[in-house]
Amino acid sequence: MAERSKKAIRREQIVRGLMRVLAKRGYAGAPISAVAREAGLTPGLLHYYFKGKQQILLELIEAIQATALERFEERLARASNDPWKRLFAFTDALLEAGGSQDADDAAACWVAIAAEAVHEPAVRRRYRSSLEELATLLRPLLTDVLAAEGRSSEDLTSAVAAITALIQGVHHVDAMAPELAPAGSSARVARHMIVGIVQAQSQVGSHDLPNDAGRRREHR
Amino acid sequence: MAERSKKAIRREQIVRGLMRVLAKRGYAGAPISAVAREAGLTPGLLHYYFKGKQQILLELIEAIQATALERFEERLARASNDPWKRLFAFTDALLEAGGSQDADDAAACWVAIAAEAVHEPAVRRRYRSSLEELATLLRPLLTDVLAAEGRSSEDLTSAVAAITALIQGVHHVDAMAPELAPAGSSARVARHMIVGIVQAQSQVGSHDLPNDAGRRREHR
Amino acid sequence: MAERSKKAIRREQIVRGLMRVLAKRGYAGAPISAVAREAGLTPGLLHYYFKGKQQILLELIEAIQATALERFEERLARASNDPWKRLFAFTDALLEAGGSQDADDAAACWVAIAAEAVHEPAVRRRYRSSLEELATLLRPLLTDVLAAEGRSSEDLTSAVAAITALIQGVHHVDAMAPELAPAGSSARVARHMIVGIVQAQSQVGSHDLPNDAGRRREHR
Amino acid sequence: MAERSKKAIRREQIVRGLMRVLAKRGYAGAPISAVAREAGLTPGLLHYYFKGKQQILLELIEAIQATALERFEERLARASNDPWKRLFAFTDALLEAGGSQDADDAAACWVAIAAEAVHEPAVRRRYRSSLEELATLLRPLLTDVLAAEGRSSEDLTSAVAAITALIQGVHHVDAMAPELAPAGSSARVARHMIVGIVQAQSQVGSHDLPNDAGRRREHR
DNA sequence: TATGAATGAGCTTTCATTCAT
DNA sequence: AATGAATGAAAGCTCATTCAT
């Protein structure tokens, strides 16, 4: 068990080392030697615990995802059975930023990871399965909300995709141009948007939206 | 004019070369030699027209932005004075994807550009000013819509940030996991979300959203 | 003649361009393009007037030498028939520095030229013939002084070499560590040394110098 | 100790590699690959032990200086307390050439180093401090000689600069046109000049040298 | 387990020179 | 005479990875 523990500790050390360097300097600016230095280890040792640099990145993706999902679990446990609260437990958990250095680092890393995913098949696979996992968790939460609001679930897929995209976009803007969005407002803004999506759901798909949107008001 | 054209043509050739390679292989995977090959030129010549690799990237950011804004201008010219149509001219222009190879490439590039922006100050500056330009264009469009809907503009900043984030996120998902969102649904989904945001505007800021959200409709 | 003149003017322009860049940035830091810019010409044109970069350097060596010898001629013309004055006309002409920008540039160039001469046979040849020309001019001047002082000319060769070395060394120090020698003192210091050499001449070659030097005083 | 030795040995190997290539081909003609080949190492390894090419050069400057000063220490240890002998221990140590391949290489290197010093601030700094170190060592030696000869030390600075310049110039001529000076005569010639300088010292500063010089002896 | 020396491939960039115009 | 676009060969440097210890 001490053996197993040592290995796990080392791997975690290394993954955290990559996270910190990646957040500050990007993937190309994160040579193994810098990651090793950040982790307090030597370059050679990284290859003892990981087959290659990419393996560390893959594990980082999992780690970031796992951390976000842990936050979700915690919030979910404290949430009542109210479907809205459960849904927001999810979005708040994923959009929590500025709270900790780790959360900020994770957001910055996520952008770098996405860039790698564009052209590295292995990274792309892992990255996609992260997105799919989020979608899988999100789907029942959203279904419950729609049910509670008396809406149909016909365009559920699009709504899930939209929320997923929104989450990515918020990470993006938080990492790159935090001054665009008032500090800490991300989660709150996202809640508004999601409320909007759910409200819009009922009209979606059957109308030419702009005209309809304008007319809807007139009927008031 | 032919003189001016020669230089401009070469630079455009090079920028397009970077765009294509960048979309497929990422920034680190886009060596000057590959960009030159893609552009049908020699590596040395790229440095004749550009001071360095980063300069090409900066020009690419401008080019992508310019192309998107051209699409916006076109749509705006064809749009009536209806504030909703004008707003959607903007979002549709920015989210149009799958239409052309260039548009898809641009979306993929945007992710790579963002990753560079995280740690390259010059790229970050240009990237930010792109986001700010979008926000600047978006603000009056959204203000008009809110006015037409009889809503206040008090939380305009957050709404603009939200839409900007959404656009980035959609590019992200389109580039990385297009199967999450049904083909070509991005622009339509975005319209729904924006309608939702505007509708949500009136309640924003005064209520604790999760609790309120579920009940809001019931009270109507 | 206008044709001939044009060509001569251009070549001089180019050589002066190299001199200025060479003095500031060294040979490796003096690309053809920079020389052309300094000369107000285009890179292609330099190769029209010179076969290659090295040719310009060779002509620069001649130009610097010619300028120094012109200064010598001028001073010699104004000097009386006093052998010492004629000798100092030579050393002063070669060590004049700080007087003009050109003279300072020339000193700095001379160091760069020497460095090229170490490994470029053609440069080395020209450089050596410059030194030999100086030696040739110096020899009769020194002979006359020795004769006037009633000294033998037996170690003339060494004395000439010594003065030549001193001139090079002064250029060296002037270019690199001007604060070591009080401003403008080079020529004056050199005069002192040369007086010393001539005075020492008579004892040179037959004694073990240190012992002798010490004893010489005792005999006073 | 073996650990310390390994690193020190490698660095010395590399510095010597640079010295040999530099002496033959100049700085621009001494690519890292050639230095590595000369040292029996691979190019990548040079960057493992040195941050860059310039760092190797800086270390070479120190090494050459250190070697010369070691020779000086040796000679000084064997010298009596005679001030002349001690002074000549210095000049002989610095002008010893033709004795070893290393000494010849060092002289040729010195010219290349000077050329770099003209335009590379870091090299210039190190080069200057070498000259200043020489001056610092030379000053007390010369002061003692002047005292022993009953001369004042009023123009000590100029005399030190003059001797320093002479040493540089002799290296220069030795490296470039050794046939100008009879083989091995450098040190001997330098002795003569220095004796001359010391003798000239007493007249320095009070007379207009050229006019006076010829007559000086006659008046005695 | 751990180290860090060593390698080699690959990158960006510079530049003398050529040449069509 | 003059331009400046184009080439291609090199250079310095970085870094993932391997491996002897």
Side-chain angles (χ1 to χ4, degrees):
Chain A
M1 188 179 177
E3 290 308 299
R4 149 100 185 65
S5 191
K6 176 74 162 284
K7 188 164 187 171
I9 287 171
R10 282 281 184 259
R11 289 177 67 98
E12 197 186 316
Q13 236 180 319
I14 293 166
V15 168
R16 288 183 64 85
L18 176 59
M19 181 169 77
R20 288 208 206 87
V21 180
L22 192 55
K24 282 175 200 71
R25 317 240 177 269
Y27 193 69
I32 284 283
S33 61
V35 174
R37 207 177 310 121
E38 180 74 38
L41 301 173
T42 56
L45 201 55
L46 298 222
H47 282 88
Y48 180 79
Y49 286 105
F50 288 93
K51 202 178 167 188
K53 194 183 173 187
Q54 198 180 75
Q55 293 299 318
I56 313 179
L57 186 66
L58 294 177
E59 193 137 320
L60 175 59
I61 298 174
E62 283 189 352
I64 291 175
Q65 177 88 341
T67 302
L69 295 191
E70 268 170 34
R71 282 200 306 258
F72 168 50
E73 298 293 346
E74 281 172 23
R75 284 167 186 270
L76 194 63
R78 292 200 313 266
S80 66
N81 276 336
D82 181 295
W84 279 105
K85 286 196 170 172
R86 295 169 59 88
L87 176 58
F88 289 144
F90 182 81
T91 58
D92 287 357
L94 280 157
L95 296 176
E96 174 183 277
S100 64
Q101 182 61 38
D102 276 12
D104 284 351
D105 282 355
C109 282
W110 208 244
V111 180
I113 288 164
E116 279 302 293
V118 170
H119 67 280
E120 285 289 333
V123 178
R124 186 176 192 122
R125 266 192 303 277
R126 195 72 56 109
Y127 180 86
R128 275 190 187 178
S129 67
S130 287
L131 291 192
E132 277 156 20
E133 190 178 11
L134 294 187
T136 301
L137 289 168
L138 189 51
R139 210 166 287 122
L141 296 175
L142 196 54
T143 304
D144 289 353
V145 166
L146 289 170
E149 296 288 320
R151 303 279 151 79
S152 87
S153 297
E154 56 176 311
D155 213 15
L156 182 64
T157 300
S158 292
V160 167
I163 294 175
T164 305
L166 177 61
I167 291 170
Q168 305 306 314
V170 170
H171 284 155
H172 216 92
V173 172
D174 276 356
M176 227 76 63
E179 73 286 359
L180 257 192
S185 73
S186 305
R188 185 171 51 86
V189 170
R191 288 184 177 200
H192 293 161
M193 296 190 75
I194 291 162
V195 170
I197 295 166
V198 171
Q199 292 175 344
Q201 275 310 102
S202 51
Q203 279 86 16
V204 158
S206 52
H207 302 279
D208 182 26
L209 210 48
N211 291 337
D212 181 50
R215 244 177 279 127
R216 201 162 43 192
R217 288 284 128 199
E218 291 161 15
H219 292 316
R220 277 208 168 181
Chain B
M1 188 181 182
E3 291 309 298
R4 153 90 183 70
S5 215
K6 177 68 167 286
K7 191 163 192 167
I9 287 172
R10 279 280 183 262
R11 288 178 69 98
E12 200 186 312
Q13 227 181 325
I14 293 166
V15 167
R16 288 182 64 85
L18 175 60
M19 183 169 74
R20 280 199 284 264
V21 181
L22 191 56
K24 282 176 199 70
R25 315 241 178 271
Y27 192 68
I32 285 284
S33 62
V35 175
R37 207 177 310 122
E38 180 74 36
L41 302 172
T42 56
L45 199 55
L46 299 220
H47 286 93
Y48 180 78
Y49 287 105
F50 289 93
K51 203 180 162 190
K53 194 183 172 188
Q54 198 182 72
Q55 293 300 318
I56 313 180
L57 186 66
L58 294 177
E59 194 137 316
L60 176 59
I61 298 176
E62 281 190 355
I64 291 177
Q65 176 89 340
T67 302
L69 296 191
E70 268 169 35
R71 282 199 306 258
F72 169 49
E73 297 292 346
E74 280 171 24
R75 286 168 184 268
L76 193 62
R78 291 200 315 265
S80 66
N81 276 336
D82 181 293
W84 279 105
K85 285 196 169 171
R86 295 169 59 88
L87 176 58
F88 289 144
F90 182 82
T91 58
D92 286 357
L94 280 156
L95 295 176
E96 174 183 275
S100 63
Q101 181 61 38
D102 276 13
D104 284 352
D105 282 354
C109 282
W110 209 244
V111 179
I113 288 164
E116 279 303 293
V118 170
H119 66 281
E120 283 289 332
V123 179
R124 186 175 191 121
R125 264 191 306 275
R126 197 72 57 108
Y127 181 85
R128 273 189 187 183
S129 66
S130 288
L131 291 193
E132 276 155 22
E133 191 179 10
L134 293 188
T136 301
L137 289 168
L138 190 50
R139 211 165 287 123
L141 297 175
L142 196 53
T143 304
D144 288 352
V145 166
L146 290 170
E149 297 289 322
R151 302 285 159 95
S152 90
S153 296
E154 58 176 310
D155 214 15
L156 182 65
T157 300
S158 292
V160 167
I163 294 176
T164 305
L166 176 61
I167 290 170
Q168 305 307 315
V170 169
H171 284 154
H172 213 96
V173 171
D174 276 356
M176 226 76 63
E179 73 285 1
L180 258 191
S185 72
S186 305
R188 187 169 49 85
V189 170
R191 288 185 176 199
H192 293 161
M193 297 188 76
I194 291 163
V195 170
I197 294 167
V198 170
Q199 293 175 340
Q201 276 309 103
S202 53
Q203 280 83 19
V204 159
S206 53
H207 301 279
D208 183 26
L209 210 47
N211 292 335
D212 184 47
R215 257 169 272 129
R216 198 164 39 189
R217 287 276 148 189
E218 294 162 14
H219 291 317
R220 278 212 174 171
Chain C
M1 188 181 179
E3 290 307 297
R4 149 99 185 64
S5 190
K6 175 75 162 283
K7 189 164 185 171
I9 287 172
R10 282 280 185 259
R11 289 177 67 98
E12 197 186 315
Q13 237 180 318
I14 293 166
V15 168
R16 287 182 65 84
L18 175 60
M19 182 169 76
R20 288 208 206 88
V21 180
L22 192 55
K24 283 175 200 71
R25 318 238 177 270
Y27 193 69
I32 284 284
S33 62
V35 175
R37 207 177 310 120
E38 180 73 39
L41 303 172
T42 56
L45 200 55
L46 298 222
H47 281 87
Y48 179 79
Y49 286 105
F50 288 92
K51 202 178 166 186
K53 193 182 172 186
Q54 198 181 75
Q55 294 300 318
I56 313 180
L57 186 66
L58 295 177
E59 192 138 318
L60 174 60
I61 299 175
E62 283 189 355
I64 291 176
Q65 177 88 342
T67 301
L69 295 191
E70 268 171 35
R71 281 199 307 260
F72 169 51
E73 298 293 346
E74 279 172 25
R75 285 167 185 270
L76 193 62
R78 291 200 313 266
S80 64
N81 276 335
D82 181 297
W84 279 105
K85 284 195 172 174
R86 294 170 58 87
L87 176 59
F88 290 144
F90 181 83
T91 57
D92 287 358
L94 280 156
L95 296 175
E96 173 182 275
S100 64
Q101 182 60 38
D102 275 13
D104 283 351
D105 283 353
C109 281
W110 208 244
V111 180
I113 288 164
E116 280 301 294
V118 170
H119 66 280
E120 284 289 333
V123 179
R124 185 175 192 122
R125 267 192 303 276
R126 195 73 56 109
Y127 181 85
R128 273 189 189 181
S129 67
S130 288
L131 291 192
E132 277 155 21
E133 190 179 11
L134 294 187
T136 302
L137 289 168
L138 189 51
R139 211 166 287 122
L141 297 174
L142 196 55
T143 305
D144 288 355
V145 165
L146 290 170
E149 297 287 321
R151 303 278 152 78
S152 87
S153 297
E154 56 176 310
D155 213 14
L156 182 65
T157 300
S158 292
V160 167
I163 294 175
T164 305
L166 176 61
I167 290 169
Q168 306 306 315
V170 169
H171 284 155
H172 216 93
V173 171
D174 276 355
M176 227 75 64
E179 74 286 359
L180 257 193
S185 72
S186 305
R188 185 170 51 86
V189 170
R191 289 185 176 199
H192 293 159
M193 298 188 74
I194 291 164
V195 170
I197 295 167
V198 171
Q199 294 174 341
Q201 276 308 102
S202 53
Q203 279 85 17
V204 159
S206 53
H207 302 279
D208 182 26
L209 209 47
N211 290 337
D212 181 50
R215 244 177 279 127
R216 200 166 40 193
R217 289 283 130 199
E218 292 161 14
H219 291 316
R220 278 210 168 179
Chain D
M1 189 181 178
E3 291 310 298
R4 154 92 184 67
S5 213
K6 177 69 167 288
K7 191 163 192 168
I9 286 172
R10 280 279 184 262
R11 289 179 68 99
E12 201 186 312
Q13 227 179 325
I14 293 166
V15 168
R16 289 182 63 85
L18 175 60
M19 183 170 75
R20 280 199 284 266
V21 181
L22 192 55
K24 283 177 199 68
R25 317 241 177 270
Y27 192 67
I32 286 283
S33 61
V35 175
R37 208 177 309 122
E38 179 74 37
L41 303 172
T42 56
L45 199 55
L46 298 221
H47 285 95
Y48 180 80
Y49 286 104
F50 288 93
K51 203 181 164 190
K53 195 185 171 185
Q54 197 181 74
Q55 293 299 318
I56 313 179
L57 185 65
L58 294 177
E59 194 137 316
L60 176 59
I61 298 176
E62 282 190 354
I64 291 177
Q65 176 89 341
T67 302
L69 295 191
E70 268 170 35
R71 281 198 307 258
F72 168 51
E73 298 291 347
E74 280 171 24
R75 285 168 184 269
L76 193 62
R78 291 200 314 266
S80 65
N81 276 335
D82 182 292
W84 280 104
K85 285 195 171 173
R86 294 169 60 87
L87 176 59
F88 290 143
F90 181 83
T91 57
D92 287 357
L94 280 157
L95 296 175
E96 172 183 276
S100 64
Q101 181 60 38
D102 275 13
D104 283 352
D105 282 353
C109 282
W110 209 244
V111 179
I113 288 164
E116 280 301 294
V118 170
H119 66 279
E120 283 290 331
V123 179
R124 186 177 192 120
R125 263 191 306 275
R126 197 71 58 108
Y127 181 85
R128 274 189 186 183
S129 68
S130 288
L131 291 193
E132 275 154 23
E133 191 179 10
L134 294 188
T136 302
L137 290 168
L138 189 50
R139 210 166 287 124
L141 297 175
L142 196 54
T143 304
D144 288 353
V145 165
L146 289 170
E149 297 290 321
R151 303 284 158 95
S152 90
S153 297
E154 56 176 310
D155 214 14
L156 182 64
T157 299
S158 291
V160 167
I163 295 176
T164 304
L166 175 62
I167 290 170
Q168 304 308 314
V170 169
H171 285 154
H172 212 94
V173 171
D174 276 356
M176 226 75 63
E179 74 284 0
L180 257 192
S185 72
S186 306
R188 187 170 49 85
V189 170
R191 288 185 177 201
H192 293 159
M193 297 189 74
I194 291 164
V195 170
I197 294 167
V198 170
Q199 292 176 341
Q201 275 310 103
S202 52
Q203 280 82 19
V204 160
S206 52
H207 302 279
D208 182 25
L209 210 46
N211 292 334
D212 185 46
R215 258 169 272 131
R216 197 163 43 191
R217 288 277 149 188
E218 294 160 15
H219 292 316
R220 282 221 171 161

